[in-house]
Amino acid sequence: MRKNILKSIFTILIIVTLIFAVFSCKADKKGKSVLGFSQIGAESEWQTANSKSIQKAAEKYSIELKFSDAQQKQENQIKAIRSFIAQKVDVIAFSPVVKSGWDIVLNEAKAANIPVILTDRAVDAKDESLWVTFLGSDFVEEGRRSAKWLVENYEKLKRADKKMDVVNIVELQGTVGSTPAIDRKLGFEEVMKNYPNYKIIKSQTGEFTRAKGKEVMDAFLKAEGKKIDVLFAHNYDMAIGAIQAIEEAGMKPGKDIIIVSIDAVKGAFEAMIAGKLNCSIEYSPLFGPQLMEAVKDLMAGKILPKRIVTNESVFPAEVAEKELSSRQY
Ligand code: AHR
């Protein structure tokens, strides 16, 4: 009798354990793959559009998305990645806020056998087996495009009284240590070194935000005033902050100071139509579907290319009106 009771308890325990295992097993959650994604934050319109694209695409592809906002802090991203590892997600993706300092946590993901996809920004870890692919733009090329557009168009856009013998540029850089800040600067300078009359007289971080962009441009204007001919801003949000600073200083953005910036979000098109911004170099945040395709392929056991580059254009102010209605972000 006692033996039978023990047997029944044992059987019940096994059944309960099995039921628990079935419900907690990620592969059985309606067959959905689980993606842990750590986003940098919402510092810019670009980042917000990128988060939306990823969230929308996850729904469309029926991928369970664990989304974490790092509020621009590397330590928050490291915490999020560790929590994804603990939750045994199928794939981890993240946009690294800065380039360095990822080796340890990426090795932890590797040890747990969880593939990692880098999105938007790269890392400088030596061991490339720590991630399966990097999906994002070529930031060096964006810097080059900004510079090429400038040298090809400055003469016809400059105020009549401005000279061509020296063109003074101020630069608003993105987050210190981030790949877009490092690479956009690199690409811009690579072209500019062939044009010795173009000089970068001030260069400082505006942290990719509107508020900091305004603050730093204020300081540039106080130090250099009317000497400034051109502003190169590494993103739209800093450009828009700087535009406000220029107007408050009693100058005309887009006329007294020629402005080229990166991102090509809707606001940039509106600023171009208003004549306050001269050119926007595109970096599309809409790669959510490409990321989900990559997750699906990984889950199907396919080998991904090590680098997936997104396609982008250059939009000068003269095409802004025509393009605005078709902008999705
Ligand atoms: O990493 C992409 C860059 O980061 C975008 O250009 C910028 O707007 C953002 O915050």
Side-chain angles (χ1 to χ4, degrees), residues 69-182:
D69 178 332
Q71 301 188 337
Q72 284 81 245
K73 290 198 171 67
Q74 182 173 32
E75 64 263 33
N76 290 346
Q77 290 202 291
I78 292 175
K79 262 190 223 152
I81 294 169
R82 290 202 167 122
S83 129
F84 296 148
I85 296 171
Q87 293 173 69
K88 298 186 168 52
V89 300
D90 295 305
V91 180
I92 292 172
F94 76 112
S95 299
V97 59
V98 289
K99 201 171 178 175
S100 305
W102 301 102
D103 298 64
I104 295 175
V105 76
L106 288 178
N107 270 299
E108 290 169 19
K110 189 177 176 182
N113 259 322
I114 302 177
V116 172
I117 299 177
L118 301 176
T119 63
D120 172 27
R121 302 183 184 183
V123 299
D124 64 2
K126 293 262 162 350
D127 179 0
E128 293 199 352
S129 74
L130 295 177
W131 63 92
V132 285
T133 187
F134 166 37
L135 163 65
S137 182
D138 180 343
F139 294 133
V140 179
E141 186 52 31
E142 290 173 355
R144 286 190 200 112
R145 283 184 187 148
S146 307
K148 281 183 197 154
W149 175 85
L150 183 63
V151 292
E152 282 162 15
N153 292 279
Y154 180 71
E155 192 156 11
K156 73 167 188 259
L157 292 173
K158 74 174 181 51
R159 259 189 10 223
D161 59 313
K162 294 238 182 191
K163 305 259 178 328
M164 278 305 288
D165 52 347
V166 182
V167 181
N168 290 318
I169 303 170
V170 294
E171 179 184 27
L172 284 171
Q173 298 179 38
T175 305
V176 176
S178 68
T179 37
I182 297 167

Side-chain angles (χ1 to χ4, degrees), residues 43-44 46-47 120-121 139 180 184 208 234-235 263 283:
E43 65 193 11
S44 61
W46 188 97
Q47 293 287 343
D120 172 27
R121 302 183 184 183
F139 294 133
R184 286 170 181 167
F208 278 133
H234 287 193
N235 83 339
D263 277 356
Y283 175 27

